[in-house]
Amino acid sequence: MAGEVYLLWLLSLLQTLSAYGAEVSSEACRELGFSSNLLCSSCDLLGEFSLTKLQPDCRRCCQQEAQMEARKKTNPLVGGSSRTQKISL
């Protein structure tokens, strides 16, 4: 029951955002349940779970695979790198 209420609330929020056509910030994407490293190819899978209403906002929050690869190359912390570098002073 609580899950259904949350889903209805989430869908109404998504519809409101869609109505304004606003760009969704990374903070708003997190609040919607989308991670900062969401790949656009993942949005295609929503239909398999009868969640096609989430696709427009998923598309606003996602990153193309090429963009993600570029971010990984310019920022080694993107992509879940667990390596740390020891700095000697």
Side-chain angles (χ1 to χ4, degrees), residues 34-89:
F34 299 115
S35 70
S36 61
N37 57 357
L38 173 67
L39 296 177
C40 292
S41 59
S42 300
C43 298
D44 296 332
L45 301 174
L46 291 171
E48 294 179 22
F49 302 98
S50 301
L51 297 171
T52 54
K53 289 185 178 183
L54 299 177
Q55 282 182 332
D57 289 309
C58 184
R59 292 274 177 216
R60 287 189 192 106
C61 292
C62 73
Q63 298 181 32
Q64 297 294 333
E65 282 74 359
Q67 291 173 334
M68 183 59 80
E69 288 301 316
R71 282 183 58 202
K72 285 181 185 177
K73 289 178 183 175
T74 60
N75 184 355
L77 298 178
V78 174
S81 175
S82 60
R83 284 184 30 195
T84 57
Q85 184 176 9
K86 191 173 186 177
I87 299 174
S88 301
L89 298 177

Side-chain angles (χ1 to χ4, degrees), residues 16-32:
T16 302
L17 289 173
S18 296
Y20 289 107
E23 289 240 348
V24 182
S25 69
S26 59
E27 182 178 325
C29 289
R30 280 191 302 272
E31 289 175 6
L32 292 170

Side-chain angles (χ1 to χ4, degrees), residues 1-21:
M1 178 82 164
E4 293 171 341
V5 171
Y6 175 74
L7 185 58
L8 289 174
W9 173 82
L10 181 60
L11 289 175
S12 67
L13 177 63
L14 294 175
Q15 288 174 343
T16 302
L17 289 173
S18 296
Y20 289 107

